[in-house]
Amino acid sequence: MGRIVLVRFDHNVVKKGEIRDPFRIDRTIGTLFHIVERGGRPIMMTHVGRPRKRKSGAITCRPEESVEPIVHYLEQKLHTRIHIPRFAADGDKGITGIDTSINLAIRELRDRKLGGIYLPNSRWFYGEESKGEAAERLCPTACRLADIYVNDAFGSWQPHASTYNITRYLPSYAGF
């Protein structure tokens, strides 16, 4: 009861800043409902688009690849308030970590003043699509946010930090 659950979805349905087809989002409502029904408090994440340049590896945090349309859709569908934390991007590296500014939102989530937290596009984080040290540095930071990890991103087959590496740090389960 009251556990924070980090949930990785495959809500990659935003194209040029708008949702074209909400099917993938709608199919995850059952997992989300199950978590909340059992007293869990969700911190959600997904990837959107391809903000990383293949040749240089530079990550660009563009508004049209934001999770904001997904959050807006979920807020309307679930009649709840979902917070998107803002983290500073570091040049070509994107977001280099999750800072303590999220702690107030987590407190509000625990107190049920928020229905959920939706992290920025996971591909904006330095280390998400990397191997080795960069991926390993991201996971412990993300894991400090939660008690449990649930993967409901079955369309995301790549072994990224938020779908693969993270399972070594938190008790992990599959979504519906």
Side-chain angles (χ1 to χ4, degrees):
M1 188 73 152
R3 289 186 172 202
I4 302 294
V5 182
L6 186 60
V7 189
R8 174 61 158 81
F9 290 119
D10 189 16
H11 289 168
N12 189 15
V13 297
V14 177
K15 304 290 184 227
K16 296 182 182 177
E18 59 183 61
I19 295 173
R20 301 296 168 112
D21 182 1
F23 180 77
R24 285 187 183 185
I25 300 171
D26 293 339
R27 295 297 300 166
T28 62
I29 299 295
T31 296
L32 204 50
F33 180 77
H34 186 78
I35 290 167
V36 174
E37 166 100 349
R38 291 186 172 39
R41 306 304 298 148
I43 296 178
M44 301 162 274
M45 61 181 165
T46 191
H47 70 268
V48 177
R50 300 206 180 273
R52 186 171 179 236
K53 293 180 182 163
R54 288 185 189 245
K55 288 186 180 183
S56 68
I59 299 169
T60 307
C61 303
R62 296 183 295 262
E64 60 270 14
E65 293 175 334
S66 168
V67 297
E68 286 184 28
I70 299 164
V71 169
H72 182 69
Y73 179 82
L74 285 170
E75 285 178 331
Q76 289 182 334
K77 184 131 184 133
L78 303 174
H79 305 285
T80 192
R81 192 170 70 112
I82 300 171
H83 174 72
I84 305 172
R86 308 284 182 218
F87 303 118
D90 182 15
D92 288 344
K93 288 186 175 183
I95 300 170
T96 57
I98 298 171
D99 61 42
T100 57
S101 66
I102 196 170
N103 292 342
L104 177 60
I106 291 174
R107 190 172 316 123
E108 289 180 346
L109 182 65
R110 285 188 191 277
D111 292 343
R112 297 189 175 275
K113 294 178 183 173
L114 287 174
I117 296 171
Y118 212 117
L119 295 177
N121 183 348
S122 65
R123 287 184 174 165
W124 287 358
F125 285 92
Y126 179 72
E128 168 66 0
E129 295 184 286
S130 303
K131 291 182 172 80
E133 183 184 331
E136 291 304 318
R137 200 171 36 184
L138 175 62
C139 289
T141 307
C143 291
R144 280 188 225 119
L145 304 176
D147 304 305
I148 297 169
Y149 171 75
V150 173
N151 185 353
D152 198 2
F154 300 110
S156 298
W157 55 273
Q158 300 268 352
H160 291 157
S162 67
T163 57
Y164 177 75
N165 299 61
I166 203 163
T167 61
R168 293 186 297 211
Y169 297 92
L170 286 173
S172 303
Y173 303 92
F176 293 146

